[in-house]
Amino acid sequence: MSLAGWSQALVGFVYAVLALRLLMQGRASGARDLARGFALAAIVLSSLWGWSGLGFSLTGQLQWLLSRRVLDVLRYGAWFGFMLVLLRPVPDLTKSLNRRHGVPWLMLVAIGLTGLGLVSLWLSAADVKLSEDASRTSLLVSMAMPVVALVLLEQVFRNATDDSRWNLKPLSLGLTGAFLFDLYLFSQAVMFNRIDADVLNIRGAVHALVAPLLMLSMSRRSDWVSNIRLSPKAAFHSATLLIAGVYLMFMSAVGYYVRYFGGEWGPALQVGLVFFTLISVMVLAMSGAVRASLRVFLSKHFFRYRYDYREEWLKFTHALSSQDSPQGTGEQVIRGLADMLESPGGCLWLRVKGEPNFSQAARWNMPEVHAREDASSSMCTFMTTSGWVVNLEEYRSFVRRYGQMTLAVWLQELPHAWLVVPLMVGPDLIGFVVLASARTNIDVNWEVNDLLKTAGQQAASYLAQMQATEALLEARKFDAFNKMSAFVVHDLKNIITQLSLMMKNAKRLSGNPEFQQDMLLTVENSLERMRQLMLQ
């Protein structure tokens, strides 16, 4: 028997044992019971997939080959269902489809891929004329399935609670290894229009190796996971992974047709296209503007609120508490506010207590400005009385919304100035932050304004505390200086008194040898005391 036969026999036997182990465990309820059913179906189908591969290896009959390919598509569909149920652990799946979340889209993609894979296999077996095109489609579907499976698995693990992650780690590691292996196998097949026989022969053994990890997850906890909910941050990472996978699949298909229709130039053009694809993916992944546009798109179309307030608040609080110097804290305030809106820079203006003007205290990716803003100016008065965030783009278009407010010359000349965020402590304006224009087009609505105003109040409390701490340290320095001065003055006064008394008696007793001896001792004593005073 060949290596492929032993490999398929191994995966069939291992997953048969795993299916029996799962059947011996007790039943769960609700969505957990549905998840267990999908997992059992995926494991049983994997076992049948292995035995059908063994049958093809022993007999060489095409019926076994077709059944193996069909079972391969079906077991991926079962894994899709298992992970989708874990993502939405609610009994009413129809109600969950109406929610503005990305899970229904992933569900449609998973169902569509499974159906497309089965249709392509049926066409390749039923019609000889369509078999070549159907085989190409089947290869593309086979490459797309691991990508979608990795996206779903990443969603499940990222949104699980901490105690559930302990149970999910073996499952995630095992499935990730199997899906990555399949992605490598089929992406190479699409790229070069042939399946690597050596890699295909050990595919069953690789899938069998992950079975102990699946068994470990099943033995740890019967309800798999709990309290999974989709977050915007997880959706962003998953969407990035999905887009990268779709892009790679598209470029792989283009590469195949370039090779197929390119004649003698086909192989060379395909290799060049592969490198162009990889470089393009790296450029897009490293582009802040692309990431910002993707994050805004997901927030607009898949979530009721744009921001994950828990994540934003933890990130902003961490940014404020990471510095203990006034200059460092000022820059972190700018960075924290700018990161909320994908702004690449900003500057902070503060007023020292007792001074009538605001001056630039910190800046980040913005030019230095030496001008000062009067605390009684119309802009400062407007922000103090209203607490509004001043949108400079809106001000230029609808100046009436801001009443009698006028902008300072330095602010009008500041390049890329976009938003002015007031920093309020109670009714007092202690400063403001000017943010640069965002990397992508962002609608500054009520949610953005409320977030900036609240974050500005928290930042203002940090800055006010920093200023109060500085003032307290300065007062303590003056207190220590006053104590030292009193000590020095007291000692100097005693020395001056001794020397003055000696000079007063010198006119009358200058010829007395005993006085002269006492005078020398007094001068020597005064010098010693002055030396000790200097040392102290």
Side-chain angles (χ1 to χ4, degrees), residues 100-101 105 296-304:
R100 297 178 61 188
H101 290 283
W105 294 100
V296 172
F297 174 79
L298 291 173
S299 300
K300 281 184 177 180
H301 298 284
F302 291 96
F303 295 94
R304 182 180 178 184

Side-chain angles (χ1 to χ4, degrees), residues 357-369:
N357 300 319
F358 292 93
S359 59
Q360 192 181 72
R363 60 191 178 92
W364 176 55
N365 294 336
M366 290 282 280
E368 186 177 1
V369 179

Side-chain angles (χ1 to χ4, degrees), residues 8 29 32 35 52 71 97 124 131 145 170 199 254 266 271 288 336 360 383 407 413 432 495 521 527:
Q8 294 294 324
S29 59
R32 305 305 190 276
S52 62
L71 289 169
L97 288 174
S124 63
S131 61
M145 279 187 166
V199 180
V254 173
V271 174
Q360 192 181 72
M383 290 190 295
L407 297 180
E413 297 177 350
F432 55 87
I495 295 173
L521 292 174
L527 288 174

Side-chain angles (χ1 to χ4, degrees), residues 393-426:
E393 295 178 355
E394 183 184 55
Y395 174 82
R396 297 183 184 100
S397 303
F398 307 99
V399 67
R400 293 184 179 180
R401 292 184 180 179
Y402 293 89
Q404 303 299 320
M405 188 191 77
T406 57
L407 297 180
V409 177
W410 66 265
L411 185 56
Q412 296 180 19
E413 297 177 350
L414 190 64
H416 307 296
W418 177 36
L419 299 176
V420 182
V421 183
L423 303 179
M424 305 288 297
V425 177

